[in-house]
């Protein structure tokens, strides 16, 4: 029943009559009470607690405060809080220490990274050095094996043994006429390594010195002062020289007096061995006063000899000293072209005394017909030449009587007519110049004949010498048949036919050779004296003194700036023309045959440039070089190791190839106050194979900036200071240049590495020529009858500009010391044309045109400052230079060519490892 009531009560009072509103009311009262109670607890209790705590903290005893606000120190006094504070401070300190250590470790890591990079670089450098050392060792082993195979080890020079002051006398030959080097010359005074010292007596110290011609004596003394062989120490001298002529007639000593004075010379030593008596002739009036003097074992050099006096291979026939104290004027010398001139041949002379009258004998023509040699052919010569002149087949001029008083001459000798200027004017109009030798066959040579020969060579008239018995000047070392016609007198009737049959090419070749001989051996007192010494030195087989090299005065500079690699320069595309060389700078091999070559080929005569060291002029490209070429310092006599290793394809790319597979070149760069342009050009050379060093010719009096940092390109950079601003400095033979190959390049030239390497390869196949990139040519201006310089694009060229060209160092010597000074003076005057002058020189020597490589025509770097060539007057000056150079050389030596060398890839059937081949077109 209770359950039932409860149930009813939940159902809203259903049942028993229910009271639902009572239940709802009681339920609401409980919820309200619960809410009120919670409200009181949550609101009033915190307020009461806050009030109580605040009241406690307001107590007078501050030490009894527990919940009030406290300072940090008071808070830390609490035990557990103090521990937390100590932990915080410890952690903070440790964090600071860790941060400091982290920063320190970071700095150490950075330093170690730098050290690692440096070590890596050092390792690479060490590897390169090791590879270089291996190459050097390998090359040394090859050289050693070759020397052992040849059994020719390198020898050091022997110790020179000086002769005793009083030489032991040895018996004279039976006759002075029998004197030769083997029995009248003391070789012990002239060791091979002596350097050929020469002592020259001072003529003023002896009585005959006052009788000498002042001009000859002055010219001789000036020459002696500058000669490299002359020494003041008579005790070490090899040869002793005394000048005895030309003497002036009024004060000429008697033969006996002159003989006594010669024998009293301090180093005559009873017989005069190793002495040279020089009797120079400035005029045609011959003075052969030595003929009646006993000269013992002394050699004689003069222009007049009798057969009883002349000793072949011992005495020397010298040329007359016409230009005693003056240099020849090249502008007055006629050109070598046109080949044929107004007169076919000419002759002017008068015979004062015939052989018949001098010998007091008369021979009939019938006696000559019977086979007896005629006493004098001059009558027949006169008749024949007059007949040729009267025939008018050719224009000839022959005169056998002088209009004015003839010059003094020896008996049977044809005297000269008129003044020197008049004779030269006639020879300028003559293709050939007749020289009739004296009728006296005992007269080997006379001063009159040598004077005629001198004048003919000077103006380009080809000498025709009638009389084969004559001994022409320096005949034992000069091949006169290349510059003159020597015809026996009995062939006088065939002379006209012979002269007309010579072709123009042969005429020009003989005229050019004659001009060379005149410039080399006849023109000045220096040439005459140097030639005499060179003949003696060559006879006794002593090498020539090396020509001097230009000492390079280096400008100190700072180097260390890492040179970048210009991708345009290093990108060779398909033109891999050689390996990236790892060898150290390698100088060209020195020439080592100087002590043996004087016994070989001494009679060869090549048409080269003149000079005191060039008795037998050669180029450095002959298989055997002469002693006079010792100045080269290096030569092609070097026998290469291993031979050519180029092969084809892959082997070609892996080796330089050729007959000299190991070779480098030197860059010579001329600059003038363009530091930024220069630095860029030097950086472009970084990594260039086969480069030995770079010589920068600083052409400005103002030194480079002190703070200028020069690039490090892997090879030495030598900055050379010059004495003056001159374009000729480009071609000075600097002693720092140790290679045969020179790449002359402007500071603004823009060449890729593959182009330079290709040019070097081509030059090695044509070492005697200029091989370069910018081509130019000369042209004949018909309206103005002059030569022009042309830089237009053309398939034909005759010059390669040296602003980007390879050439042999040999030409640097010739340009600086041998080429006529007038050309270098004009280069300095115009500050122009040095490249044209070099092309003239090389073409004159080789008779070959230069070689142009690649098809590019200009090589200037973009954005570079303008050079001298942009001036409006540049081309006008070059026109003038060409015409002036033609006057100096006497003809136009430049030669045209359409030949150009390019590298062309071509396809062929090759194995897979034979990748590429090249050909030259």
């Amino acid at each position: 029943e209770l359950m039932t009531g409860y149930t009813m009560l939940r159902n809203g009072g259903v049942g028993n009559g229910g009271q639902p509103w009572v239940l709802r009311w009681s339920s609401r009262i409980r919820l309200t009470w619960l809410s009120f109670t919670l409200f009181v607890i949550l609101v009033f209790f915190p307020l009461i607690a806050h009030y109580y705590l605040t009241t406690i903290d307001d107590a007078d005893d501050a030490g009894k405060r527990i919940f009030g606000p406290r300072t940090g120190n008071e808070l830390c006094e609490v035990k557990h809080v103090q521990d937390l504070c100590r932990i915080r401070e410890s952690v903070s300190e440790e964090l600071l220490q860790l941060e400091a250590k982290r920063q320190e470790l970071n700095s150490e890591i950075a330093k170690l990274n730098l050290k690692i990079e440096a070590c890596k670089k050092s390792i690479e450098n060490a590897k390169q050095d090791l590879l270089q050392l291996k190459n050097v060792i390998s090359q040394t082993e090859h050289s050693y094996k070759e020397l052992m195979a040849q059994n020719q080890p390198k020898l050091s020079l022997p110790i020179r043994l000086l002769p005793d002051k009083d030489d032991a006398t040895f018996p004279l030959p039976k006759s002075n006429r029998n004197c030769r080097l083997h029995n009248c010359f003391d070789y012990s005074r002239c060791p091979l390594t002596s350097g050929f010292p020469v002592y020259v007596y001072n003529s003023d110290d002896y009585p005959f010195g006052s009788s000498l011609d002042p001009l000859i004596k002055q010219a001789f003394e000036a020459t002696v002062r500058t000669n490299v062989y002359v020494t003041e120490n008579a005790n070490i001298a090899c040869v002793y020289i005394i000048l005895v002529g030309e003497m002036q007639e009024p004060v000429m000593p008697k033969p006996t007096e002159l003989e006594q004075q010669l024998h009293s010379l301090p180093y005559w030593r009873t017989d005069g061995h190793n002495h040279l008596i020089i009797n120079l002739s400035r005029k045609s009036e011959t003075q052969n006063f030595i003929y009646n003097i006993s000269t013992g074992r002394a050699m004689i050099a003069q222009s007049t000899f009798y057969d009883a006096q002349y000793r072949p291979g011992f005495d020397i026939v010298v040329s007359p000293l016409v230009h005693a104290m003056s240099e020849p004027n090249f502008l007055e010398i006629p050109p070598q072209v046109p080949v044929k001139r107004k007169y076919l041949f000419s002759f002017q002379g008068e015979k004062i005394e015939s052989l018949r009258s001098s010998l007091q004998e008369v021979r009939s023509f019938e006696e000559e017909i019977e086979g007896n040699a005629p006493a004098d052919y001059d009558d027949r010569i006169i008749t024949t030449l007059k007949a040729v002149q009267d025939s008018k087949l050719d224009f000839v001029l022959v005169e056998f009587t002088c209009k004015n008083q003839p010059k003094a001459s020896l008996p049977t000798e044809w005297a000269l007519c008129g003044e020197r200027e008049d004779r030269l004017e006639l020879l300028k109009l003559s293709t050939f110049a007749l020289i009739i030798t004296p009728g006296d066959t005992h007269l080997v040579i006379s001063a009159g004949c040598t004077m005629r020969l001198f004048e003919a060579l000077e103006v380009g008239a080809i000498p025709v010498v009638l009389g084969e018995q004559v001994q022409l000047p320096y005949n034992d070392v000069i091949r006169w048949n290349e510059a003159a016609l020597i015809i026996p007198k009995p062939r006088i009737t065939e002379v006209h036919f012979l002269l007309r049959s010579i072709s123009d090419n042969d005429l020009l070749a003989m005229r050019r050779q004659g001009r060379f001989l005149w410039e080399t051996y006849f023109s000045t007192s220096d040439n005459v004296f140097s030639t005499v010494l060179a003949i003696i030195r060559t006879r006794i087989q002593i090498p020539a003194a090396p020509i001097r090299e230009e000492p390079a005065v280096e400008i100190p500079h700072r180097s260390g700036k890492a040179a970048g690699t210009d991708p345009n320069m290093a990108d060779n595309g398909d033109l891999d023309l050689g390996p990236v060389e790892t060898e150290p700078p390698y100088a060209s091999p020195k020439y080592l045959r100087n002590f043996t070559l004087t016994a070989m080929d001494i009679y060869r005569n090549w048409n080269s440039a003149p000079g005191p060291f060039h008795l037998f002029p050669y180029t450095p490209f002959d298989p055997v070089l002469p002693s006079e070429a010792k100045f080269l310092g290096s030569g092609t006599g070097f026998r290469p190791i291993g031979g050519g290793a180029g092969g084809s394809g892959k082997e070609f790319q892996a080796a330089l190839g050729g007959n000299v597979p190991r070779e480098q070149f030197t860059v010579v760069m001329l600059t003038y106050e363009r530091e930024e342009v220069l630095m860029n050009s030097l950086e472009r050379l970084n990594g260039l194979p086969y480069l030995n060093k770079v010589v920068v010719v600083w052409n400005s009096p103002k030194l480079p900036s002190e703070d200028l940092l020069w690039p490090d390109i892997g090879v030495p950079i030598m900055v050379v200071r010059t004495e003056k601003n001159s374009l000729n400095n480009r071609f000075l033979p600097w002693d720092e240049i140790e290679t045969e190959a020179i790449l002359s390049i402007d500071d603004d030239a823009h060449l890729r590495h593959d182009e330079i390497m290709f040019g070097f390869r081509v030059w090695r196949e044509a070492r005697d020529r200029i091989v370069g990139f910018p081509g130019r040519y000369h042209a004949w201006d018909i309206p103005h009858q002059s030569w022009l310089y042309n830089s237009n694009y053309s398939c034909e060229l005759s010059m390669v500009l040296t602003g980007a060209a390879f050439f042999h160092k040999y030409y640097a010597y010739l340009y600086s010391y041998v080429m006529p000074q007038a050309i270098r003076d004009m280069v300095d005057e115009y500050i122009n044309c040095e490249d044209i002058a070099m092309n003239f020189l090389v073409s004159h020597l080789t008779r070959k045109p230069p070689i142009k490589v690649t098809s590019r025509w200009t090589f200037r770097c973009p954005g570079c400052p303008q050079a001298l060539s942009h001036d409006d007057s540049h081309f006008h000056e070059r026109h003038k230079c060409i015409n002036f150079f033609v006057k100096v050389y006497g003809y136009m030596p430049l030669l045209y060519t359409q030949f150009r060398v390019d590298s062309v890839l071509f396809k062929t059937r090759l194995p897979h490892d034979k990748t590429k081949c090249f050909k030259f077109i």
Side-chain angles (χ1 to χ4, degrees), residues 415-640:
L416 294 172
C417 295
E419 299 299 327
R420 167 177 158 81
E421 292 75 14
D422 299 332
R423 298 193 300 270
L424 293 180
E425 290 301 322
L426 175 60
L427 292 174
K428 290 177 182 179
L429 302 175
S430 306
T431 305
F432 296 94
L434 295 185
I435 301 175
I436 305 176
T437 59
D440 186 359
T441 57
H442 298 290
L443 188 59
V444 175
I445 189 64
S446 65
C449 287
T450 57
M451 184 64 71
R452 289 181 183 273
L453 180 65
F454 180 95
E455 293 176 352
L457 296 176
E458 181 178 5
V459 297
I462 300 174
V464 179
V465 182
L466 296 178
E468 79 285 359
Q469 80 284 354
V470 69
Q471 297 289 334
L472 297 179
Y474 322 123
N475 63 324
D476 54 346
V477 293
I478 292 180
R479 298 178 62 177
W480 279 106
N481 59 338
E482 296 181 356
L485 295 174
I486 303 176
I487 304 174
K489 286 185 177 181
R491 294 191 180 275
I492 183 59
T493 57
E494 302 171 330
V495 168
H496 185 212
F497 166 78
L498 178 61
L499 298 185
R500 294 191 64 183
S501 65
I502 301 177
S503 65
D504 289 353
N505 289 337
D506 292 337
L507 289 177
L508 183 58
M510 295 181 70
R511 183 174 295 163
R512 185 167 58 243
Q513 180 68 5
R515 171 72 176 270
F516 159 70
L517 296 177
W518 179 79
E519 290 181 352
T520 308
Y521 312 125
F522 291 74
S523 58
T524 64
S525 58
D526 285 341
N527 291 343
V528 172
F529 184 67
S530 297
T531 301
V532 171
L533 294 184
I535 289 177
I536 299 174
R537 180 184 48 73
T538 305
R539 285 175 177 175
I540 62 178
Q541 301 181 352
I542 294 182
I547 196 170
R548 70 181 181 91
E549 290 190 302
E550 196 69 22
V553 180
E554 185 177 7
I555 299 177
H557 60 280
R558 291 191 303 157
S559 179
K561 175 184 175 183
T565 301
D566 189 343
N568 296 325
M569 298 294 103
D571 184 14
N572 301 330
D574 292 331
L575 299 178
D576 274 339
L577 297 179
V580 177
E581 199 171 65
T582 58
E583 293 186 352
Y586 173 74
S588 297
K590 299 296 183 181
Y591 193 77
L592 302 176
R593 298 191 60 200
N594 296 300
F595 292 100
T596 59
L597 50 85
T598 52
M600 305 166 59
D601 297 336
I602 64 172
Y603 295 103
R604 291 182 58 188
N605 189 2
W606 197 83
N607 185 15
S608 181
F613 299 87
H614 300 77
L615 177 58
F616 314 110
Y618 279 72
T619 61
F621 325 107
D622 293 309
V624 178
L625 298 182
S627 57
E628 281 65 25
K630 181 182 177 182
F631 64 87
L632 289 176
S634 58
T636 54
F638 158 71
R639 187 155 111 34

Side-chain angles (χ1 to χ4, degrees), residues 769 795-798 849-852 895-900:
R769 299 161 81 172
C795 294
E796 195 169 53
L797 60 97
S798 59
I851 297 178
K852 173 177 169 53
L895 299 173
Y896 293 107
T897 182
Q898 295 182 1
F899 180 80
R900 192 184 77 211

Side-chain angles (χ1 to χ4, degrees), residues 557-559 561-564 669 671 674-686 696 698 704-705 707-713 717 719 747-748:
H557 60 280
R558 291 191 303 157
S559 179
K561 175 184 175 183
M669 185 177 296
T671 187
R674 298 200 295 181
E675 295 180 353
E676 182 178 357
V677 175
L678 175 63
M679 295 301 107
N680 293 334
S681 296
L682 291 175
E683 287 186 4
R684 286 195 293 270
L685 299 177
N686 184 33
V696 177
W698 190 263
S705 304
D707 58 347
L708 183 62
L709 193 60
W710 295 70
D712 182 5
I713 61 175
I717 298 179
V719 185
D747 58 1
D748 58 355

